[in-house]
Amino acid sequence: MKIACIGNFPPRECGIATFTMDVISSLKQEYNKSHHQAFVIAMNDNHKEYDYPEEVESTIRQDYLQDYLQAAKYINFSGADVCLLQHEFGIYGGNSGVYILPLINKLKVPLVVIFHTVLREPSYNEKNIIIEIGKRASAIVVMNSLAIGFLRDVYGVDENKIHVIEHGVPEFDFTRIAYHKKKFKVEGRKTLITFGLLSRNKGIETVINALPEVIKKHPDLLYIVLGKTHPAVVRSSGEEYRNYLKLLVHQQGLNDYVFFDDRFVSINDLLGYLSAADMYVTPYLNEAQITSGTLAYAVSSGTAVISTPYWHAKELLADGRGVLFDFGDSGQLAGILNSLLEDSVKLKQLQSRAFEFGKKTSWPVIGRRYLKLFDEIRKTVPPLHADMDNNVVKPGLMPQFSLDHVIRMTDQTGMLQHAKYIVPKFQDGYCLDDNARALLMVTMAYRQMKDPEAIRLMLHYLSFIQYMQNEDGSFRNFLSYSRNYLDEKGSEDSFGRTIWALGTLIRFPPNEVLFEQVRDLFQKGMDKFSDLSTLRGLANCIIGVSNWMHRFPTDEGMMNQLKAMTLKLEAYYTANNEGDWHWFEQVITYDNGILPYALLCSFEVTGRDESEIIAFESLEFLSSIVLSDENLSIVGSEGWYEKGGVPADFDQQPLNTMAIVLMFRQAYKVEKDPQYLVKMFKSFMWFLGENDLRIPLYDFETKGCNDGLKPFGVNRNQGAESTLAYLISHMAVMSVYEQDI
């Protein structure tokens, strides 16, 4: 068996690096017996390079997404049977470490994940990352049974995947206690120790404030604070916390009773310190720590352990293996310390119970448990992505359609443009673009679901469009929250989108009264059709006019308008189509799928062969750029894709995904080729997490859609455009499933 391991590794100085090294070392002891192999893909932080040992075959720079994709390829071609992932949010790039998701999604070997942190109250990004890892992992390892309930109840992880394997610990040599007491110059003194990377949540001040009451009775006590300040703390605030602690020691008159060793010590020195210690204390300030390697080391060393009741401590110190005190309670801690120092029998009992438990979690024992798990996974894991459902569109994967966030964003005037997170931003007012999209969405929703709420909203959006139309038939675009016009005439894009929405409502009106109102607005804008000259203005308008023609197929005047606009759009293609560049302009930017979609709508009405040829030729070209075997990858707005260049990866916008979904749906409608349904559904799943970062844009809690996919994660604002793009895409996909396209 060959095992690939992803995580930090020495000489990088942190607990995860030490843990990874210990795992690999414990497995090595078994390799000599069974010829197993292992290698490490090491994480590099903040542009640092490390002089790694031979176990490290490759590295990933934390903030470089491409490195994660290359690492997946390396593992897939390495001959590895299993991949072991050390997971801690802070060691991977992107928002909350989201960059790890594209890597694990591309793995072709079973994945085993060790969660070093499991949060009971995660952020949006943290929750979705764990959910995605839980779906992809063949097995999950936690070091505390409490984590099982969190993973099951908070993240929906299959409990059958979860295994509890305690934190491994070194094997201690208890014959050299006197030697280590002498080495660290603590002979004749009772010693209390805390070790680990220093940060404010460690609560060291709680111990310092307890010491004066202890020193009065036991002046031979020495408190050792061992460890460097956490690198992230140093980057943000330097040695502020350590300096605060030293000042506190001075103010309490404890200079002879507290010693700071600000090193990240070797494993041998750490074991020596623990051998020399009589008591160990973890005074963490809150309960939300599911795993503590330092606590596991202390218990196994046979040291009497005192701790605040954080999650790992409550479980590990149960059954008399340690003593708990309340968070931040220096007085209670002082009483415990005095009690133990005055009762040597009780102190020895604590030490003995801890040591006996520690023998069960030595690294050789833990290493064998990991190997057994790897072997089981290798032999029993089912084929990846197995799916017995033959339907191309899988509604079971889709959330229930909901207008909740649309209602939240809509007032008596119309739909507001933007939101800060999910709160509407009144100061940004309204725009025609979003209210036209909203009208299109509720028209689709009423047609497919007969939702009366859609009718109520429809009147708001229609009223807004009516208010924004000029006497000459054109439309303004922007309106302030106080209902003051902010422009005289909107863009051709906004005009075209409005005609699209109105045309759709004319084709599928919920009642005759609304039909007559919408027809008047549409006809008032007809005189402006011939003035259109921009690509997307033409395309949007073509879609709307095509819908009109389905309602009035004998309208020759409108047919001529449709053909004229179609010829203009085709002329763009003819002027720019050259060599292997089959597109309407020299750069691929936004709302791209609308262009082939419009020509397919026009072809459905006019029957022009040239429209069909250009539509499918440009569709296939666009598809080759944005759609891979794995997922949709929209051309990013930070640079777009210029002819002869490279497509920008980010930011990816929901509006562009909507256009792709509609394009493939219309392609299927014209050709009846199932491949377009497959591509349509794959494109739609971009919203639900099948994207470059493997994190959903749709928010299952708020029923809104995040505003975009950025290099670090998602833009958590949930404005009108993104939410409407999702809902229109949802309705388009469901129309295929319901055979109502």
Side-chain angles (χ1 to χ4, degrees):
M1 182 162 53
K2 189 173 186 179
I3 303 155
C5 182
I6 304 171
N8 298 352
F9 204 78
R12 184 170 174 176
E13 297 177 343
C14 71
I16 301 292
T18 302
F19 184 91
T20 307
M21 178 186 69
D22 287 340
V23 170
I24 296 298
S25 297
S26 69
L27 296 177
K28 275 186 174 181
Q29 295 183 30
E30 298 299 313
Y31 299 161
N32 296 330
K33 306 172 186 176
S34 52
H35 308 291
H36 297 307
Q37 302 176 49
F39 66 91
V40 176
I41 308 287
M43 297 300 306
N44 285 347
D45 58 325
N46 297 298
H47 309 289
K48 292 183 180 178
E49 296 287 341
Y50 299 94
D51 184 16
Y52 288 115
E54 63 181 4
E55 291 92 340
V56 176
E57 294 190 4
S58 185
T59 60
I60 297 173
R61 293 168 294 178
Q62 181 173 344
D63 296 320
Y64 288 77
L65 179 58
Q66 194 61 34
D67 285 12
Y68 293 80
L69 304 180
Q70 290 297 325
K73 290 181 180 178
Y74 186 92
I75 294 169
N76 289 337
F77 286 100
S78 69
D81 298 289
V82 175
C83 179
L84 175 65
L85 175 72
Q86 310 289 341
H87 186 267
E88 177 69 71
F89 292 109
I91 70 176
Y92 300 112
N95 197 333
S96 302
V98 70
Y99 283 3
I100 197 60
L101 296 184
L103 187 160
I104 65 172
N105 183 64
K106 292 184 179 296
L107 287 178
K108 297 180 181 179
V109 299
L111 175 68
V112 177
V113 180
I114 302 175
F115 281 130
H116 292 264
T117 294
V118 181
L119 301 173
R120 185 172 60 190
E121 298 177 351
S123 70
Y124 174 86
N125 282 312
E126 290 165 343
K127 181 175 181 179
N128 280 288
I129 288 167
I130 299 302
I131 288 172
E132 291 302 312
I133 292 175
K135 292 176 182 176
R136 181 63 182 81
S138 300
I140 290 169
V141 174
V142 294
M143 302 173 221
N144 182 316
S145 61
L146 186 64
I148 298 175
F150 290 175
L151 288 172
R152 180 192 62 228
D153 300 336
V154 179
Y155 304 94
V157 175
D158 181 357
E159 192 169 347
N160 293 320
K161 288 185 176 183
I162 307 172
H163 306 260
V164 177
I165 300 180
E166 292 81 3
H167 195 297
V169 294
E171 294 181 295
F172 283 84
D173 180 1
F174 291 95
T175 64
R176 308 189 70 195
I177 294 176
Y179 167 80
H180 288 120
K181 287 268 190 185
K182 182 176 181 180
K183 176 181 177 180
F184 295 113
K185 298 181 174 58
V186 293
E187 294 171 293
R189 300 193 71 169
K190 293 293 185 181
T191 52
L192 173 68
I193 189 170
T194 296
F195 81 90
L197 294 172
L198 206 60
S199 61
R200 280 195 175 273
N201 65 343
K202 296 300 176 69
I204 305 300
E205 62 273 20
T206 304
V207 185
I208 294 171
N209 287 328
L211 290 181
E213 290 301 313
V214 182
I215 300 301
K216 289 177 185 178
K217 297 182 178 180
H218 305 281
D220 59 341
L221 180 67
L222 176 66
Y223 178 41
I224 300 171
V225 182
L226 174 62
K228 294 176 66 172
T229 302
H230 196 290
V233 174
V234 173
R235 287 195 297 271
S236 63
S237 55
E239 293 291 355
E240 178 186 0
Y241 181 55
R242 184 182 297 275
N243 292 336
Y244 156 72
L245 294 176
K246 289 182 176 179
L247 179 61
L248 185 61
V249 168
H250 177 74
Q251 291 171 341
Q252 297 274 24
L254 297 172
N255 290 320
D256 293 333
Y257 305 98
V258 180
F259 171 63
F260 290 91
D261 187 339
D262 58 353
R263 297 178 296 150
F264 189 92
V265 296
S266 67
I267 189 67
N268 288 332
D269 277 352
L270 174 59
L271 300 183
Y273 262 119
L274 288 172
S275 296
D278 299 288
M279 297 174 291
Y280 174 83
V281 60
T282 52
Y284 299 163
L285 295 178
N286 64 74
E287 65 177 355
Q289 180 141 348
I290 205 75
T291 303
S292 171
T294 60
L295 181 68
Y297 272 44
V299 168
S300 66
S301 71
T303 303
V305 180
I306 308 138
S307 177
T308 50
Y310 56 91
W311 294 329
H312 194 195
K314 287 172 71 173
E315 180 166 294
L316 193 56
L317 301 184
D319 300 325
R321 292 189 290 268
V323 181
L324 299 177
F325 68 98
D326 294 335
F327 297 107
D329 194 334
S330 297
Q332 187 183 10
L333 174 60
I336 293 170
L337 291 172
N338 278 326
S339 174
L340 291 176
L341 289 170
E342 291 163 5
D343 189 341
S344 60
V345 174
K346 185 176 181 180
L347 183 66
K348 290 292 184 184
Q349 287 176 340
L350 278 179
Q351 292 170 338
S352 176
R353 291 192 193 108
F355 171 64
E356 288 302 317
F357 182 83
K359 289 193 293 187
K360 303 173 185 177
T361 59
S362 67
W363 272 117
V365 174
I366 296 300
R368 286 192 288 274
R369 291 177 65 184
Y370 273 111
L371 272 179
K372 182 180 179 182
L373 174 62
F374 297 156
D375 197 44
E376 290 173 356
I377 293 301
R378 178 181 62 156
K379 293 176 180 177
T380 62
V381 67
L384 298 180
H385 308 299
D387 193 344
M388 300 304 293
D389 186 356
N390 292 323
N391 289 322
V392 173
V393 176
K394 300 174 174 57
L397 300 179
M398 300 169 65
Q400 184 175 354
F401 183 84
S402 172
L403 293 172
D404 285 1
H405 191 55
V406 172
I407 294 169
R408 190 180 297 123
M409 293 289 293
T410 301
D411 64 11
Q412 291 300 312
T413 301
M415 191 168 191
L416 291 143
Q417 283 193 82
H418 300 135
K420 183 66 175 177
Y421 298 102
I422 64 169
V423 180
K425 293 180 68 177
F426 295 155
Q427 63 267 37
D428 291 349
Y430 316 83
C431 74
L432 181 68
D433 279 308
D434 290 332
N435 281 272
R437 290 189 193 98
L439 181 62
L440 173 63
M441 184 274 296
V442 292
T443 300
M444 298 171 71
Y446 185 77
R447 181 191 176 212
Q448 292 175 228
M449 303 185 331
K450 298 299 184 285
D451 185 346
E453 186 65 28
I455 289 285
R456 186 186 71 81
L457 292 169
M458 192 181 294
L459 295 175
H460 286 293
Y461 307 138
L462 196 53
S463 176
F464 181 91
I465 291 171
Q466 177 178 273
Y467 185 64
M468 298 299 281
Q469 189 167 32
N470 295 314
E471 285 302 316
D472 66 355
S474 63
F475 294 91
R476 301 172 190 264
N477 195 8
F478 297 106
L479 187 73
S480 72
Y481 186 66
S482 56
R483 298 187 181 179
N484 294 315
Y485 294 125
L486 299 178
D487 58 0
E488 293 295 325
K489 183 179 178 181
S491 66
E492 290 192 8
D493 278 25
S494 63
F495 178 89
R497 288 192 184 101
T498 306
I499 296 300
W500 176 1
L502 293 174
T504 304
L505 188 48
I506 287 168
R507 184 179 179 185
F508 305 111
N511 56 56
E512 191 64 22
V513 175
L514 273 179
F515 164 72
E516 292 176 0
Q517 169 69 8
V518 175
R519 182 184 59 189
D520 290 346
L521 293 173
F522 189 97
Q523 288 179 324
K524 191 174 180 179
M526 282 171 50
D527 289 343
K528 296 299 177 183
F529 292 176
S530 60
D531 296 338
L532 295 174
S533 61
T534 63
L535 266 173
R536 289 157 185 84
L538 286 165
N540 289 323
C541 198
I542 286 170
I543 299 167
V545 174
S546 297
N547 278 299
W548 172 282
M549 291 304 301
H550 282 284
R551 180 66 187 264
F552 302 107
T554 60
D555 187 339
E556 291 187 12
M558 195 65 75
M559 177 66 83
N560 291 333
Q561 292 266 32
L562 177 59
K563 289 179 178 178
M565 288 188 290
T566 301
L567 287 171
K568 286 183 181 180
L569 187 56
E570 292 173 359
Y572 273 101
Y573 184 82
T574 303
N576 291 280
N577 177 34
E578 182 181 15
D580 58 359
W581 184 262
H582 306 298
W583 198 241
F584 299 83
E585 49 192 338
Q586 296 292 295
V587 58
I588 292 179
T589 56
Y590 69 98
D591 219 0
N592 300 297
I594 291 300
L595 305 180
Y597 175 40
L599 289 180
L600 289 170
C601 289
S602 178
F603 167 73
E604 193 178 18
V605 173
T606 66
R608 290 189 72 255
D609 291 340
E610 187 64 18
S611 297
E612 182 184 28
I613 291 169
I614 293 175
F616 279 104
E617 197 171 80
S618 57
L619 177 151
E620 295 299 340
F621 176 69
L622 180 61
S623 179
S624 70
I625 294 166
V626 301
L627 202 61
S628 67
D629 290 340
E630 289 84 15
N631 58 265
L632 183 73
S633 180
I634 295 296
V635 173
S637 61
E638 296 296 322
W640 302 121
Y641 177 23
E642 294 189 15
K643 182 179 179 180
V646 177
D649 292 326
F650 299 101
D651 295 351
Q652 297 184 26
Q653 306 295 334
L655 179 66
N656 296 331
T657 299
M658 179 195 85
I660 298 289
V661 169
L662 294 175
M663 176 186 75
F664 283 130
R665 184 188 69 156
Q666 189 67 15
Y668 173 74
K669 187 177 181 182
V670 170
E671 286 289 297
K672 303 300 182 186
D673 187 338
Q675 69 158 316
Y676 296 120
L677 291 187
V678 173
K679 292 178 178 180
M680 178 199 69
F681 192 71
K682 180 182 288 187
S683 300
F684 171 77
M685 291 300 290
W686 179 92
F687 288 105
L688 302 184
E690 293 190 10
N691 51 51
D692 287 341
L693 294 186
R694 313 308 295 183
I695 192 165
L697 277 290
Y698 180 74
D699 189 328
F700 290 81
E701 185 175 356
T702 69
K703 309 303 188 289
C705 181
N706 293 299
D707 278 353
L709 198 64
K710 303 179 78 67
F712 57 79
V714 296
N715 179 341
R716 291 288 286 122
N717 297 328
Q718 296 176 14
E721 179 183 295
S722 55
T723 296
L724 292 169
Y726 168 77
L727 292 173
I728 291 170
S729 300
H730 183 114
M731 297 305 296
V733 170
M734 288 306 296
S735 72
V736 174
Y737 181 73
E738 295 163 359
Q739 301 299 309
D740 184 22
I741 62 173

